Amino acid sequence: MPTVLTARALLLDMDGTLVNSDAVVERIWRRWADRHGLDQDEVMKVVHGRQGHASMALLLPDRPMEQNHADNARMLAEETADVAGVVPIPGAPEFLASLRGLPHALVTSADVPLATARMAAAGLGMPEVRVTAESVGASKPDPEGFLKGAAELGVAPGECVVFEDSAAGIQAGRSAGMRVVGVGPRAGFHGPDVVVADLRQVRVEAVAGGGIRVIVA
């Protein structure tokens, strides 16, 4: 039996949810781990879903935050320039097309240049409403980004459904009081309401009166 969620708005993460950027993330962060003498696999367990400086703060707890922010700026420039292997998550083009005219927003830990570069590399249109790294004071797992997305759309948090792949993102959605559809192999370990392998398993319908029906097969 399909799972059906009703909402008034959908809030969409980017990396791992709409765009598969794992190849770039792995390249850049494994190099970073080597530069700092850290175990690459341990670093990769931390970095998904967070802003870079927040990951660095967890991995190098004694380093001043100014250094993390400066290092993060360099990393963002590297990531923005490197789109080799960036592809859409299966079903993402059709899923985004089905949202035209329905309230939805992109809520990503990437900044505007990185989000623009990756969505373009994956051949995906950018949602009109977007909350990026520049828009928030706190990175996921803080719920600020999702709460901002709901506010921009004029929808109560409890009437939003979040699409996320990472531990930090799922925690952020939960903390915002939202239901979460987990996307991909990482998601199932972190307690989303429902999990899909990719977006081919999701169908969206408009409901009379302004609602959205999310059908997960």
Side-chain angles (χ1 to χ4, degrees):
M1 282 290 289
T3 300
V4 178
L5 303 173
T6 54
R8 296 194 77 80
L10 306 184
L11 302 177
L12 319 173
D13 174 50
M14 182 181 70
D15 291 302
T17 302
L18 298 173
V19 171
N20 182 345
S21 54
D22 281 0
V24 185
V25 174
E26 293 266 339
R27 279 196 295 276
I28 301 251
W29 279 98
R30 286 183 184 277
R31 281 204 301 267
W32 183 89
D34 284 346
R35 284 201 297 271
H36 295 280
L38 298 173
D39 181 274
Q40 291 185 3
D41 292 335
E42 292 304 310
V43 167
M44 294 315 302
K45 287 177 189 172
V46 170
V47 300
H48 291 290
R50 290 183 171 83
Q51 289 186 40
H53 60 79
S55 296
M56 293 170 189
L58 289 171
L59 292 161
L60 297 173
D62 298 326
R63 190 165 80 156
M65 274 312 288
E66 312 87 82
Q67 278 182 252
N68 293 339
H69 281 288
D71 205 358
N72 186 47
R74 285 191 293 273
M75 295 273 283
L76 281 170
E78 274 186 71
E79 289 186 273
T80 303
D82 183 356
V83 291
V86 172
V87 295
I89 293 290
E94 298 81 2
F95 175 68
L96 281 175
S98 74
L99 297 183
R100 283 194 196 109
L102 299 175
H104 66 286
L106 187 73
V107 181
T108 176
S109 296
D111 64 3
V112 169
L114 181 57
T116 304
R118 285 193 177 159
M119 291 289 278
L124 299 175
M126 186 73 90
E128 281 183 37
V129 178
R130 41 200 181 254
V131 178
T132 58
E134 296 92 338
S135 318
V136 297
S139 172
K140 299 171 186 176
D142 191 282
E144 182 186 355
F146 287 124
L147 293 172
K148 273 210 159 137
E152 292 238 357
L153 294 168
V155 175
E159 294 186 305
C160 296
V161 169
V162 164
F163 285 75
E164 262 290 359
D165 71 300
S166 69
I170 292 167
Q171 188 182 330
R174 283 258 185 237
S175 298
M178 300 172 182
R179 287 150 300 153
V180 181
V181 175
V183 180
R186 285 188 287 267
F189 298 104
H190 307 297
D193 293 271
V194 59
V195 186
V196 296
D198 59 49
L199 293 170
R200 291 174 295 187
Q201 288 179 252
V202 181
R203 208 156 41 83
V204 173
E205 296 174 350
V207 179
I212 301 170
R213 187 180 291 120
V214 179
I215 300 139
V216 178

Short mmCIF file of all heavy atoms in Angstrom, two decimals, residues 112-182:
data_model
loop_
_atom_site.label_atom_id
_atom_site.label_comp_id
_atom_site.label_asym_id
_atom_site.label_seq_id
_atom_site.Cartn_x
_atom_site.Cartn_y
_atom_site.Cartn_z
N VAL A 112 24.63 30.30 -2.70
CA VAL A 112 23.96 30.53 -3.99
C VAL A 112 24.82 30.07 -5.18
O VAL A 112 24.33 29.35 -6.05
CB VAL A 112 23.54 32.01 -4.14
CG1 VAL A 112 23.09 32.30 -5.56
CG2 VAL A 112 22.42 32.34 -3.16
N PRO A 113 26.12 30.44 -5.26
CA PRO A 113 26.92 29.98 -6.42
C PRO A 113 26.99 28.46 -6.53
O PRO A 113 26.88 27.90 -7.63
CB PRO A 113 28.30 30.61 -6.18
CG PRO A 113 28.04 31.78 -5.29
CD PRO A 113 26.90 31.37 -4.41
N LEU A 114 27.18 27.78 -5.39
CA LEU A 114 27.30 26.32 -5.43
C LEU A 114 25.96 25.68 -5.80
O LEU A 114 25.91 24.77 -6.63
CB LEU A 114 27.78 25.80 -4.07
CG LEU A 114 27.97 24.28 -3.96
CD1 LEU A 114 28.94 23.77 -5.01
CD2 LEU A 114 28.45 23.90 -2.56
N ALA A 115 24.87 26.16 -5.19
CA ALA A 115 23.55 25.61 -5.51
C ALA A 115 23.23 25.82 -6.99
O ALA A 115 22.75 24.91 -7.69
CB ALA A 115 22.48 26.26 -4.63
N THR A 116 23.53 27.02 -7.50
CA THR A 116 23.26 27.34 -8.91
C THR A 116 24.07 26.43 -9.82
O THR A 116 23.54 25.89 -10.81
CB THR A 116 23.59 28.81 -9.18
OG1 THR A 116 22.85 29.63 -8.27
CG2 THR A 116 23.25 29.21 -10.60
N ALA A 117 25.36 26.24 -9.51
CA ALA A 117 26.24 25.41 -10.34
C ALA A 117 25.78 23.96 -10.36
O ALA A 117 25.74 23.31 -11.42
CB ALA A 117 27.68 25.50 -9.83
N ARG A 118 25.42 23.42 -9.19
CA ARG A 118 25.06 22.00 -9.13
C ARG A 118 23.69 21.74 -9.77
O ARG A 118 23.52 20.74 -10.46
CB ARG A 118 25.10 21.51 -7.68
CG ARG A 118 26.53 21.32 -7.20
CD ARG A 118 26.62 20.56 -5.92
NE ARG A 118 28.03 20.37 -5.58
CZ ARG A 118 28.47 20.11 -4.36
NH1 ARG A 118 27.61 20.00 -3.36
NH2 ARG A 118 29.76 19.95 -4.14
N MET A 119 22.73 22.61 -9.52
CA MET A 119 21.40 22.41 -10.13
C MET A 119 21.54 22.50 -11.66
O MET A 119 20.94 21.69 -12.39
CB MET A 119 20.41 23.43 -9.61
CG MET A 119 20.02 23.24 -8.15
SD MET A 119 18.97 21.80 -7.82
CE MET A 119 17.34 22.48 -8.25
N ALA A 120 22.34 23.44 -12.15
CA ALA A 120 22.54 23.58 -13.60
C ALA A 120 23.25 22.35 -14.16
O ALA A 120 22.88 21.83 -15.22
CB ALA A 120 23.33 24.84 -13.91
N ALA A 121 24.29 21.87 -13.46
CA ALA A 121 25.03 20.69 -13.94
C ALA A 121 24.13 19.47 -14.03
O ALA A 121 24.29 18.62 -14.90
CB ALA A 121 26.21 20.41 -13.01
N ALA A 122 23.15 19.40 -13.11
CA ALA A 122 22.22 18.27 -13.11
C ALA A 122 21.04 18.50 -14.05
O ALA A 122 20.17 17.62 -14.18
CB ALA A 122 21.71 18.02 -11.69
N GLY A 123 20.99 19.69 -14.69
CA GLY A 123 19.91 19.99 -15.63
C GLY A 123 18.58 20.23 -14.96
O GLY A 123 17.52 20.00 -15.54
N LEU A 124 18.62 20.73 -13.71
CA LEU A 124 17.39 20.96 -12.95
C LEU A 124 17.11 22.46 -12.82
O LEU A 124 18.04 23.26 -12.62
CB LEU A 124 17.52 20.36 -11.54
CG LEU A 124 17.75 18.84 -11.48
CD1 LEU A 124 17.99 18.40 -10.04
CD2 LEU A 124 16.58 18.08 -12.09
N GLY A 125 15.85 22.83 -12.91
CA GLY A 125 15.46 24.22 -12.71
C GLY A 125 15.50 24.59 -11.23
O GLY A 125 15.20 23.76 -10.37
N MET A 126 15.89 25.82 -10.94
CA MET A 126 15.98 26.28 -9.55
C MET A 126 14.60 26.73 -9.06
O MET A 126 13.96 27.56 -9.72
CB MET A 126 16.97 27.45 -9.50
CG MET A 126 17.26 27.93 -8.11
SD MET A 126 18.31 26.81 -7.18
CE MET A 126 19.93 27.43 -7.61
N PRO A 127 14.11 26.20 -7.94
CA PRO A 127 12.85 26.70 -7.39
C PRO A 127 12.91 28.21 -7.14
O PRO A 127 13.97 28.75 -6.83
CB PRO A 127 12.71 25.93 -6.07
CG PRO A 127 13.47 24.67 -6.30
CD PRO A 127 14.64 25.07 -7.16
N GLU A 128 11.77 28.86 -7.29
CA GLU A 128 11.73 30.32 -7.10
C GLU A 128 12.08 30.72 -5.68
O GLU A 128 12.75 31.72 -5.45
CB GLU A 128 10.33 30.85 -7.43
CG GLU A 128 10.06 30.99 -8.91
CD GLU A 128 8.69 31.57 -9.18
OE1 GLU A 128 8.25 32.45 -8.41
OE2 GLU A 128 8.06 31.13 -10.15
N VAL A 129 11.59 29.94 -4.70
CA VAL A 129 11.89 30.23 -3.30
C VAL A 129 13.05 29.34 -2.88
O VAL A 129 13.01 28.13 -3.06
CB VAL A 129 10.66 29.98 -2.40
CG1 VAL A 129 11.00 30.23 -0.93
CG2 VAL A 129 9.50 30.86 -2.84
N ARG A 130 14.10 29.96 -2.33
CA ARG A 130 15.24 29.16 -1.89
C ARG A 130 15.88 29.75 -0.65
O ARG A 130 16.00 30.96 -0.52
CB ARG A 130 16.26 28.99 -3.00
CG ARG A 130 16.51 30.21 -3.81
CD ARG A 130 17.14 29.83 -5.15
NE ARG A 130 17.41 30.99 -5.96
CZ ARG A 130 16.70 31.34 -7.02
NH1 ARG A 130 15.67 30.62 -7.39
NH2 ARG A 130 17.03 32.41 -7.72
N VAL A 131 16.26 28.87 0.24
CA VAL A 131 16.97 29.24 1.46
C VAL A 131 18.35 28.59 1.35
O VAL A 131 18.47 27.37 1.33
CB VAL A 131 16.23 28.73 2.72
CG1 VAL A 131 17.01 29.09 3.98
CG2 VAL A 131 14.82 29.30 2.78
N THR A 132 19.39 29.43 1.25
CA THR A 132 20.76 28.94 1.07
C THR A 132 21.60 29.29 2.29
O THR A 132 21.11 29.88 3.26
CB THR A 132 21.38 29.57 -0.19
OG1 THR A 132 21.34 31.00 -0.03
CG2 THR A 132 20.60 29.18 -1.44
N ALA A 133 22.89 28.95 2.22
CA ALA A 133 23.79 29.20 3.37
C ALA A 133 23.79 30.68 3.77
O ALA A 133 23.90 31.00 4.96
CB ALA A 133 25.20 28.75 3.01
N GLU A 134 23.64 31.57 2.76
CA GLU A 134 23.68 33.01 3.07
C GLU A 134 22.47 33.46 3.88
O GLU A 134 22.49 34.51 4.53
CB GLU A 134 23.70 33.85 1.77
CG GLU A 134 24.93 33.65 0.92
CD GLU A 134 24.73 32.57 -0.13
OE1 GLU A 134 23.85 31.70 0.03
OE2 GLU A 134 25.48 32.59 -1.12
N SER A 135 21.38 32.66 3.84
CA SER A 135 20.10 33.09 4.42
C SER A 135 19.97 32.76 5.90
O SER A 135 19.01 33.18 6.54
CB SER A 135 18.93 32.40 3.70
OG SER A 135 19.10 32.37 2.32
N VAL A 136 20.89 31.95 6.45
CA VAL A 136 20.71 31.45 7.81
C VAL A 136 21.92 31.74 8.68
O VAL A 136 23.04 31.88 8.19
CB VAL A 136 20.43 29.92 7.83
CG1 VAL A 136 19.13 29.61 7.12
CG2 VAL A 136 21.57 29.13 7.23
N GLY A 137 21.68 31.79 9.98
CA GLY A 137 22.78 31.97 10.93
C GLY A 137 23.30 30.65 11.45
O GLY A 137 24.41 30.59 11.99
N ALA A 138 22.51 29.59 11.31
CA ALA A 138 22.89 28.28 11.86
C ALA A 138 22.66 27.20 10.80
O ALA A 138 21.64 27.18 10.13
CB ALA A 138 22.07 27.97 13.11
N SER A 139 23.64 26.31 10.67
CA SER A 139 23.57 25.22 9.70
C SER A 139 22.66 24.10 10.20
O SER A 139 22.46 23.94 11.41
CB SER A 139 24.99 24.68 9.49
OG SER A 139 24.99 23.51 8.71
N LYS A 140 22.11 23.30 9.28
CA LYS A 140 21.51 22.02 9.68
C LYS A 140 22.55 21.29 10.54
O LYS A 140 23.73 21.37 10.22
CB LYS A 140 21.16 21.18 8.45
CG LYS A 140 20.15 21.82 7.50
CD LYS A 140 20.03 21.00 6.21
CE LYS A 140 19.17 21.67 5.18
NZ LYS A 140 19.11 20.93 3.90
N PRO A 141 22.20 20.63 11.60
CA PRO A 141 20.87 20.17 12.02
C PRO A 141 19.98 21.21 12.72
O PRO A 141 18.91 20.85 13.19
CB PRO A 141 21.19 19.02 12.98
CG PRO A 141 22.51 19.38 13.57
CD PRO A 141 23.27 20.07 12.45
N ASP A 142 20.41 22.46 12.82
CA ASP A 142 19.52 23.49 13.33
C ASP A 142 18.33 23.63 12.37
O ASP A 142 18.51 23.60 11.15
CB ASP A 142 20.28 24.82 13.43
CG ASP A 142 19.50 25.86 14.20
OD1 ASP A 142 18.57 26.44 13.60
OD2 ASP A 142 19.79 26.10 15.37
N PRO A 143 17.12 23.81 12.88
CA PRO A 143 15.94 23.88 12.00
C PRO A 143 15.74 25.22 11.31
O PRO A 143 14.78 25.38 10.54
CB PRO A 143 14.78 23.61 12.97
CG PRO A 143 15.26 24.10 14.29
CD PRO A 143 16.74 23.79 14.31
N GLU A 144 16.63 26.19 11.53
CA GLU A 144 16.39 27.55 11.02
C GLU A 144 16.04 27.59 9.54
O GLU A 144 15.11 28.28 9.12
CB GLU A 144 17.62 28.44 11.29
CG GLU A 144 17.40 29.87 10.82
CD GLU A 144 18.64 30.76 10.94
OE1 GLU A 144 19.68 30.30 11.46
OE2 GLU A 144 18.57 31.91 10.48
N GLY A 145 16.79 26.86 8.71
CA GLY A 145 16.57 26.90 7.26
C GLY A 145 15.17 26.45 6.89
O GLY A 145 14.49 27.10 6.07
N PHE A 146 14.71 25.35 7.49
CA PHE A 146 13.38 24.85 7.17
C PHE A 146 12.29 25.79 7.68
O PHE A 146 11.28 26.01 7.01
CB PHE A 146 13.19 23.43 7.70
CG PHE A 146 13.95 22.41 6.91
CD1 PHE A 146 14.86 21.56 7.52
CD2 PHE A 146 13.77 22.29 5.54
CE1 PHE A 146 15.56 20.62 6.79
CE2 PHE A 146 14.47 21.35 4.79
CZ PHE A 146 15.37 20.51 5.42
N LEU A 147 12.50 26.35 8.87
CA LEU A 147 11.51 27.31 9.40
C LEU A 147 11.44 28.55 8.52
O LEU A 147 10.36 29.10 8.28
CB LEU A 147 11.87 27.68 10.85
CG LEU A 147 11.74 26.51 11.85
CD1 LEU A 147 12.31 26.90 13.20
CD2 LEU A 147 10.27 26.08 11.99
N LYS A 148 12.60 28.99 8.01
CA LYS A 148 12.62 30.14 7.09
C LYS A 148 11.88 29.81 5.80
O LYS A 148 11.15 30.64 5.26
CB LYS A 148 14.06 30.53 6.75
CG LYS A 148 14.66 31.50 7.74
CD LYS A 148 15.69 32.40 7.08
CE LYS A 148 15.85 33.64 7.92
NZ LYS A 148 17.19 34.08 8.11
N GLY A 149 12.11 28.62 5.27
CA GLY A 149 11.42 28.21 4.05
C GLY A 149 9.92 28.22 4.23
O GLY A 149 9.17 28.73 3.37
N ALA A 150 9.44 27.68 5.36
CA ALA A 150 8.00 27.67 5.64
C ALA A 150 7.47 29.09 5.74
O ALA A 150 6.41 29.41 5.18
CB ALA A 150 7.73 26.90 6.94
N ALA A 151 8.21 29.96 6.43
CA ALA A 151 7.77 31.35 6.61
C ALA A 151 7.69 32.08 5.26
O ALA A 151 6.74 32.82 5.00
CB ALA A 151 8.72 32.08 7.56
N GLU A 152 8.70 31.85 4.40
CA GLU A 152 8.70 32.50 3.07
C GLU A 152 7.49 32.08 2.25
O GLU A 152 6.96 32.85 1.46
CB GLU A 152 9.98 32.12 2.30
CG GLU A 152 11.22 32.71 2.91
CD GLU A 152 11.98 33.59 1.93
OE1 GLU A 152 11.59 33.71 0.76
OE2 GLU A 152 12.97 34.17 2.39
N LEU A 153 7.05 30.84 2.45
CA LEU A 153 5.90 30.33 1.71
C LEU A 153 4.58 30.64 2.41
O LEU A 153 3.51 30.37 1.86
CB LEU A 153 6.04 28.81 1.50
CG LEU A 153 7.20 28.38 0.60
CD1 LEU A 153 7.41 26.86 0.70
CD2 LEU A 153 6.96 28.78 -0.85
N GLY A 154 4.66 31.16 3.63
CA GLY A 154 3.46 31.50 4.38
C GLY A 154 2.70 30.29 4.88
O GLY A 154 1.47 30.31 4.98
N VAL A 155 3.44 29.23 5.21
CA VAL A 155 2.82 27.96 5.62
C VAL A 155 3.33 27.59 7.02
O VAL A 155 4.52 27.75 7.31
CB VAL A 155 3.16 26.85 4.60
CG1 VAL A 155 2.64 25.50 5.07
CG2 VAL A 155 2.57 27.19 3.24
N ALA A 156 2.46 27.09 7.87
CA ALA A 156 2.87 26.66 9.21
C ALA A 156 3.82 25.48 9.10
O ALA A 156 3.65 24.62 8.22
CB ALA A 156 1.65 26.26 10.02
N PRO A 157 4.83 25.40 10.00
CA PRO A 157 5.78 24.29 9.92
C PRO A 157 5.13 22.91 9.88
O PRO A 157 5.54 22.04 9.11
CB PRO A 157 6.64 24.47 11.19
CG PRO A 157 6.58 25.94 11.45
CD PRO A 157 5.21 26.38 11.04
N GLY A 158 4.11 22.71 10.69
CA GLY A 158 3.45 21.41 10.75
C GLY A 158 2.74 21.02 9.48
O GLY A 158 2.34 19.85 9.31
N GLU A 159 2.57 21.98 8.56
CA GLU A 159 1.91 21.70 7.28
C GLU A 159 2.92 21.52 6.14
O GLU A 159 2.53 21.52 4.97
CB GLU A 159 0.92 22.81 6.95
CG GLU A 159 -0.24 22.87 7.94
CD GLU A 159 -1.30 23.88 7.52
OE1 GLU A 159 -0.94 25.06 7.32
OE2 GLU A 159 -2.47 23.47 7.41
N CYS A 160 4.19 21.39 6.49
CA CYS A 160 5.25 21.18 5.50
C CYS A 160 5.75 19.74 5.55
O CYS A 160 5.82 19.13 6.61
CB CYS A 160 6.43 22.11 5.77
SG CYS A 160 6.05 23.87 5.60
N VAL A 161 6.14 19.25 4.38
CA VAL A 161 6.85 17.97 4.29
C VAL A 161 8.23 18.25 3.71
O VAL A 161 8.37 18.95 2.71
CB VAL A 161 6.09 16.95 3.41
CG1 VAL A 161 6.97 15.74 3.10
CG2 VAL A 161 4.82 16.50 4.11
N VAL A 162 9.24 17.73 4.38
CA VAL A 162 10.65 17.92 4.01
C VAL A 162 11.13 16.69 3.24
O VAL A 162 10.78 15.55 3.59
CB VAL A 162 11.49 18.11 5.29
CG1 VAL A 162 12.98 17.92 5.02
CG2 VAL A 162 11.22 19.46 5.93
N PHE A 163 11.96 16.92 2.22
CA PHE A 163 12.65 15.83 1.51
C PHE A 163 14.14 15.97 1.80
O PHE A 163 14.73 17.00 1.50
CB PHE A 163 12.38 15.92 0.00
CG PHE A 163 11.00 15.47 -0.39
CD1 PHE A 163 9.90 16.28 -0.14
CD2 PHE A 163 10.80 14.23 -0.96
CE1 PHE A 163 8.62 15.86 -0.48
CE2 PHE A 163 9.52 13.80 -1.31
CZ PHE A 163 8.42 14.62 -1.07
N GLU A 164 14.74 14.95 2.40
CA GLU A 164 16.12 15.03 2.90
C GLU A 164 16.82 13.69 2.78
O GLU A 164 16.17 12.63 2.77
CB GLU A 164 16.12 15.44 4.38
CG GLU A 164 16.38 16.90 4.64
CD GLU A 164 17.81 17.35 4.35
OE1 GLU A 164 18.65 16.51 3.97
OE2 GLU A 164 18.08 18.55 4.53
N ASP A 165 18.17 13.72 2.73
CA ASP A 165 18.93 12.47 2.65
C ASP A 165 19.86 12.25 3.84
O ASP A 165 20.27 11.12 4.10
CB ASP A 165 19.78 12.46 1.38
CG ASP A 165 20.94 13.43 1.48
OD1 ASP A 165 20.69 14.64 1.65
OD2 ASP A 165 22.11 12.99 1.44
N SER A 166 20.23 13.32 4.56
CA SER A 166 21.32 13.21 5.54
C SER A 166 20.81 13.24 6.98
O SER A 166 19.69 13.71 7.25
CB SER A 166 22.30 14.37 5.36
OG SER A 166 21.69 15.59 5.75
N ALA A 167 21.65 12.76 7.89
CA ALA A 167 21.31 12.79 9.32
C ALA A 167 21.03 14.22 9.77
O ALA A 167 20.03 14.49 10.45
CB ALA A 167 22.45 12.19 10.13
N ALA A 168 21.92 15.15 9.38
CA ALA A 168 21.76 16.55 9.82
C ALA A 168 20.47 17.14 9.28
O ALA A 168 19.74 17.85 10.00
CB ALA A 168 22.96 17.38 9.35
N GLY A 169 20.14 16.84 8.02
CA GLY A 169 18.94 17.40 7.41
C GLY A 169 17.67 16.82 7.98
O GLY A 169 16.69 17.55 8.23
N ILE A 170 17.66 15.51 8.20
CA ILE A 170 16.47 14.86 8.77
C ILE A 170 16.24 15.38 10.19
O ILE A 170 15.10 15.69 10.57
CB ILE A 170 16.62 13.33 8.72
CG1 ILE A 170 16.58 12.86 7.26
CG2 ILE A 170 15.53 12.64 9.54
CD1 ILE A 170 17.02 11.43 7.04
N GLN A 171 17.31 15.53 10.96
CA GLN A 171 17.19 16.07 12.31
C GLN A 171 16.64 17.51 12.27
O GLN A 171 15.79 17.88 13.07
CB GLN A 171 18.55 16.05 13.01
CG GLN A 171 18.48 16.42 14.48
CD GLN A 171 19.85 16.44 15.13
OE1 GLN A 171 20.76 15.69 14.73
NE2 GLN A 171 20.03 17.28 16.13
N ALA A 172 17.11 18.29 11.31
CA ALA A 172 16.64 19.68 11.17
C ALA A 172 15.15 19.72 10.87
O ALA A 172 14.40 20.51 11.45
CB ALA A 172 17.43 20.40 10.08
N GLY A 173 14.70 18.87 9.94
CA GLY A 173 13.28 18.82 9.60
C GLY A 173 12.43 18.41 10.78
O GLY A 173 11.38 19.01 11.05
N ARG A 174 12.88 17.40 11.48
CA ARG A 174 12.18 16.93 12.68
C ARG A 174 12.10 18.03 13.73
O ARG A 174 11.04 18.26 14.33
CB ARG A 174 12.94 15.74 13.26
CG ARG A 174 12.71 14.47 12.48
CD ARG A 174 11.74 13.68 13.27
NE ARG A 174 11.47 12.38 12.77
CZ ARG A 174 10.26 11.98 12.46
NH1 ARG A 174 9.25 12.83 12.51
NH2 ARG A 174 10.02 10.75 12.10
N SER A 175 13.24 18.71 13.96
CA SER A 175 13.28 19.77 14.98
C SER A 175 12.37 20.93 14.61
O SER A 175 11.90 21.67 15.47
CB SER A 175 14.70 20.29 15.16
OG SER A 175 15.55 19.26 15.60
N ALA A 176 12.13 21.11 13.31
CA ALA A 176 11.23 22.17 12.84
C ALA A 176 9.76 21.77 12.98
O ALA A 176 8.87 22.57 12.69
CB ALA A 176 11.54 22.50 11.38
N GLY A 177 9.50 20.53 13.41
CA GLY A 177 8.13 20.07 13.58
C GLY A 177 7.49 19.62 12.28
O GLY A 177 6.27 19.65 12.13
N MET A 178 8.32 19.18 11.34
CA MET A 178 7.85 18.80 10.01
C MET A 178 7.97 17.29 9.81
O MET A 178 8.81 16.63 10.44
CB MET A 178 8.66 19.53 8.94
CG MET A 178 8.55 21.04 9.06
SD MET A 178 9.69 21.93 7.96
CE MET A 178 9.32 23.64 8.42
N ARG A 179 7.14 16.76 8.92
CA ARG A 179 7.31 15.36 8.53
C ARG A 179 8.41 15.28 7.46
O ARG A 179 8.60 16.24 6.72
CB ARG A 179 6.00 14.81 7.98
CG ARG A 179 4.96 14.57 9.09
CD ARG A 179 3.55 14.73 8.59
NE ARG A 179 3.33 16.08 8.08
CZ ARG A 179 2.43 16.39 7.14
NH1 ARG A 179 1.68 15.45 6.60
NH2 ARG A 179 2.28 17.63 6.75
N VAL A 180 9.11 14.15 7.44
CA VAL A 180 10.28 14.03 6.58
C VAL A 180 10.20 12.78 5.71
O VAL A 180 9.98 11.67 6.21
CB VAL A 180 11.59 13.98 7.42
CG1 VAL A 180 12.80 13.87 6.51
CG2 VAL A 180 11.70 15.19 8.33
N VAL A 181 10.38 12.99 4.40
CA VAL A 181 10.57 11.88 3.46
C VAL A 181 12.08 11.72 3.28
O VAL A 181 12.76 12.65 2.82
CB VAL A 181 9.90 12.15 2.10
CG1 VAL A 181 10.22 11.03 1.11
CG2 VAL A 181 8.39 12.31 2.26
N GLY A 182 12.62 10.58 3.68
CA GLY A 182 14.04 10.32 3.52
C GLY A 182 14.32 9.78 2.13
O GLY A 182 13.61 8.88 1.66
#
